[in-house]
Amino acid sequence: MTEGNFVDYVKLHVSSGKGGKGSMHLHREKFIEKGGPDGGDGGRGGHVIMRGNSNLWTLYTYKFKRHFRAGHGEHGSKSRSTGADGADVYMDVPLGTIVRDRETNEIIFEITEDGEERIIAKGGMGGRGNWHFKTPTNQTPRYAQPGTPGEEIDIILELKVLADVGLVGFPNAGKSTLLSVVSSAKPKIADYEFTTLKPNLGIVEYRDFKSFVMADIPGIIEGAAEGKGLGHYFLRHIERNSVLLFLIPADADDIRKQYDILLDELKRYNPEILDKERFIIISKSDMLDEELKAELKAELDKTLPVDYMFVSSVAQQGLTELKDKLWKMLND
Ligand SMILES: Nc1nc2c(ncn2[C@@H]2O[C@H](COP(=O)(O)OP(=O)(O)OP(=O)(O)O)[C@@H](O)[C@H]2O)c(=O)[nH]1
Ligand SMILES: [Mg+2]
């Protein structure tokens, strides 16, 4: 995914089809003087149906199409022929989609499974044709039922992102690069600071079709709380995340100090952010040879207050272990 296409809230209008009218018809044929009633039933109106689709990650398609209308049932006709049902409309939504009634704001249902189908607007029933109403005393009923109307409702779709990881780091730490190697997101990457100006979200596909969302945000610098760099306005994008993943490059002068600065900026923005679980990755660790790594490890084991791991996005080192670790943190 690229910048700006993560849609997690849309307002829609849906309406189902009305049922077709039953037919009022009397059989007519040469030489048969009094044919009986033979009007067929009307068809059912089409439903509007929500369907879970595990290949979808956002409500993006609903940004452009806001009205969903199912087909009307056809009317019944002579010779007891039933009208065709109105066409159903399927709305594919990502798993974790909550459907609300816009008027009451109440949750109508939530779609959680792939292939799960729920009717959001039920099609009207077809009316019964006049032959159903034939009785001993009324052999030629001149009456047939109309179809019942469809339903119409204003709804809100909300996508609840189930588990998130937010990337936190100085500019140029390699956040966007990491996102690009663990997800199919294609954020802009460059060798200068503040390459990322808007948050990017990527879906990290994990063993056995599991997945989680990772948010890449602009870099943070000391003084962000006072508006330095890009400020900290965009930190709201990681407020929802359950795990904060700090990236500090292996060639940083003082890793512990960078960590403290980052933490302090987060705290100034919103102290509650510090209640989240934290994990550190030492990024660009392909720049370290084994000896340097061992030395650094001995030092970090003593100085870093939270768990950490060496990762290289470029050399693809430590990525699987990182995903395992994050998955564990998200699900514990
Ligand atoms: N050697 C090495 N370089 C890396 C690695 N990951 C990223 N880089 C380089 O570091 C530079 C910055 O990478 P980005 O991913 O754009 O960094 P960022 O943290 O998103 O930067 P901002 O968006 O400015 O905050 C680029 O030149 C990358 O090629 C890595 O694993 N190893
Ligand atoms: Mg970036």
Side-chain angles (χ1 to χ4, degrees):
M1 275 185 266
T2 48
E3 295 193 11
N5 66 358
F6 191 80
V7 177
D8 60 0
Y9 183 95
V10 287
K11 291 176 178 172
L12 303 174
H13 180 85
V14 297
S15 57
S16 56
K18 55 183 186 221
K21 273 196 278 206
S23 161
M24 205 299 290
H25 189 266
L26 300 175
H27 186 71
R28 291 268 180 272
E29 219 174 304
K30 257 187 191 168
F31 313 119
I32 301 178
E33 214 164 278
K34 266 192 186 168
D38 73 345
D41 302 344
R44 168 178 76 69
H47 301 313
V48 180
I49 302 167
M50 299 258 169
R51 179 168 57 192
N53 182 334
S54 60
N55 294 317
L56 297 177
W57 301 108
T58 86
L59 297 168
Y60 188 61
T61 49
Y62 298 104
K63 220 176 137 173
F64 307 104
K65 185 166 188 247
R66 304 254 158 150
H67 293 266
F68 292 82
R69 207 178 305 270
H72 297 311
E74 280 180 14
H75 302 324
S77 53
K78 63 183 177 185
S79 315
R80 294 192 189 178
S81 104
T82 303
D85 290 345
D88 294 333
V89 165
Y90 284 88
M91 299 171 68
D92 277 352
V93 294
L95 309 187
T97 299
I98 295 171
V99 184
R100 279 181 199 278
D101 183 329
R102 210 150 100 197
E103 208 171 311
T104 62
N105 207 37
E106 259 166 55
I107 294 181
I108 306 172
F109 52 74
E110 181 178 348
I111 299 284
T112 53
E113 278 170 52
D114 190 35
E116 178 181 354
E117 291 184 11
R118 302 286 289 264
I119 296 179
I120 176 70
K122 201 167 159 33
M125 284 189 313
R128 299 215 286 171
N130 67 339
W131 71 272
H132 290 286
F133 304 109
K134 183 174 160 180
T135 62
T137 51
N138 185 358
Q139 292 289 313
T140 52
R142 290 172 191 279
Y143 166 77
Q145 284 178 327
T148 62
E151 295 174 342
E152 215 170 306
I153 181 171
D154 284 316
I155 55 170
I156 291 172
L157 300 188
E158 244 175 55
L159 181 59
K160 188 173 65 177
V161 174
L162 298 171
D164 286 358
V165 173
L167 300 180
V168 179
F170 277 30
N172 234 9
K175 300 179 293 298
S176 301
T177 309
L178 177 70
L179 184 75
S180 76
V181 295
V182 296
S183 78
S184 57
K186 303 268 170 291
K188 188 170 168 196
I189 294 165
D191 187 19
Y192 53 80
E193 303 194 334
F194 301 116
T195 305
T196 302
L197 298 172
K198 277 192 211 154
N200 299 299
L201 289 157
I203 311 296
V204 181
E205 307 267 355
Y206 187 64
R207 302 169 195 266
D208 308 329
F209 313 111
K210 296 189 202 71
S211 62
F212 54 89
V213 175
M214 189 179 266
D216 166 34
I217 61 169
I220 299 169
I221 57 171
E222 188 165 17
E226 285 86 52
K228 291 226 178 95
L230 294 180
H232 62 194
Y233 161 75
F234 48 80
L235 289 179
R236 67 191 165 87
H237 293 288
I238 56 169
E239 263 173 311
R240 289 193 317 177
N241 301 162
S242 32
V243 170
L244 297 181
L245 183 59
F246 289 75
L247 265 81
I248 304 175
D251 61 346
D253 289 340
D254 186 338
I255 289 176
R256 171 67 202 254
K257 189 162 172 225
Q258 263 205 27
Y259 174 71
D260 289 339
I261 293 172
L262 289 168
L263 209 57
D264 189 51
E265 291 300 332
L266 295 186
K267 191 163 92 191
R268 284 164 183 237
Y269 171 71
N270 176 1
E272 279 169 34
I273 281 194
L274 302 193
D275 296 339
K276 297 175 190 298
E277 282 215 80
R278 290 171 239 154
F279 186 65
I280 299 175
I281 69 177
I282 309 303
S283 61
K284 311 189 187 183
S285 61
D286 52 284
M287 295 195 291
L288 304 169
D289 57 23
E290 284 309 311
E291 200 180 328
L292 269 173
K293 206 183 216 171
E295 248 174 58
L296 190 56
K297 188 173 182 308
E299 184 198 318
L300 295 178
D301 284 344
K302 274 187 273 164
T303 55
L304 284 184
V306 287
D307 278 352
Y308 72 94
M309 191 181 275
F310 288 101
V311 169
S312 165
S313 302
V314 168
Q316 308 251 315
Q317 285 162 1
L319 297 177
T320 307
E321 294 84 341
L322 175 66
K323 287 190 256 184
D324 281 340
K325 173 73 184 177
L326 292 173
W327 183 259
K328 209 160 160 279
M329 291 174 81
L330 290 169
N331 289 284
D332 271 352

